[in-house]
Amino acid sequence: NVVNVILAWALIFGHLGMPALGVAGSAWAAGIARGVGTAIMLAVLMRGRGPLSLDWRPPWAPDLGLLRRTLRIGIPSMIEMVLMSAGMLVYGVFAIHLGTDVYAAQRITLNAISFAFMPGLGYAMAATALTGQALGAKDPARAKASTSYATYSALAFMTFVALIMFFFGRQVMRIFTPDPELIEIGAEALKVVRAAGVELSTTDFDL
């Protein structure tokens, strides 16, 4: 994220001796930052000093049994994410057809609520790890308690954020744009989207 912010600032506006590429600069910054993140992750895994590591030394062959188990567990989540991405794509197409201002407000609104979604994702990952540990230890009561705690914690946090977005939507939009029309459109959208976000935090992220 730090690399992305610095490169986006430099490539969009032409700072640090780099060309001002505008929207294309944002895309380049995101792509380079993700590449850097991938390289760092692979370097850490290949060092083999942590609990997880990658061994590239031969002989190397895939574990077909493990691969089948991974696919059996992962395919439902993959389908869910594909459907969610397709829904967001259709949502964006509708917004584009409503005009440039509406689409711009929609993109700003999504950026604003992404900060609220991040804790929900964090709770989901924590619940997954804790529940998995409890089930592995054959302790279903602890697994249920971990899931419930994560769900209620996420619900409380997301409700708090939703209230901020609902009552202070204009102030939130002003962080992203000075355009009064975009602020008004985005503030109204935040009221609806954040109400849905509270439900999403419990039914999708945690459960």
Side-chain angles (χ1 to χ4, degrees):
N1 288 335
V2 172
V3 173
N4 193 5
V5 169
I6 295 175
L7 287 179
W9 173 72
L11 290 172
I12 292 174
F13 302 108
H15 298 300
L16 302 178
M18 297 184 180
L21 301 179
V23 176
S26 176
W28 276 106
I32 294 172
R34 289 173 182 174
V36 170
T38 301
I40 293 173
M41 180 183 66
L42 288 175
V44 171
L45 291 174
M46 292 176 67
R47 290 178 65 185
R49 297 183 180 179
L52 295 177
S53 63
L54 292 176
D55 187 358
W56 296 96
R57 295 171 298 179
W60 184 89
D63 186 333
L64 295 181
L66 180 60
L67 183 59
R68 282 193 295 268
R69 289 176 57 197
T70 302
L71 290 175
R72 188 167 58 250
I73 297 173
I75 285 178
S77 296
M78 180 194 72
I79 294 174
E80 177 191 12
M81 295 306 298
V82 168
L83 292 176
M84 182 179 293
S85 298
M88 294 301 296
L89 177 63
V90 174
Y91 174 44
V93 171
F94 288 158
I96 289 174
H97 283 82
L98 292 174
T100 303
D101 288 342
V102 173
Y103 183 65
Q106 184 248 0
R107 298 309 304 173
I108 294 173
T109 301
L110 289 179
N111 286 333
I113 64 175
S114 66
F115 290 101
F117 282 156
M118 291 302 104
L121 291 171
Y123 280 116
M125 288 186 283
T128 300
L130 293 174
T131 302
Q133 290 177 352
L135 293 177
K138 301 186 185 304
D139 189 350
R142 183 158 63 94
K144 183 178 180 180
S146 299
T147 303
S148 298
Y149 182 80
T151 300
Y152 291 135
S153 298
L155 178 60
F157 182 88
M158 302 285 272
T159 300
F160 173 73
V161 174
L163 291 173
I164 293 177
M165 296 288 185
F166 188 90
F167 291 106
F168 302 100
R170 290 179 178 83
Q171 289 80 356
V172 172
M173 290 296 295
R174 287 193 186 101
I175 298 174
F176 296 90
T177 177
D179 190 304
E181 185 171 358
L182 295 183
I183 290 173
E184 289 301 316
I185 296 173
E188 291 301 314
L190 281 175
K191 294 179 180 180
V192 178
V193 175
R194 285 316 305 142
V198 174
E199 180 271 337
L200 181 65
S201 70
T202 55
T203 60
D204 186 42
F205 289 158
D206 289 319
L207 299 180

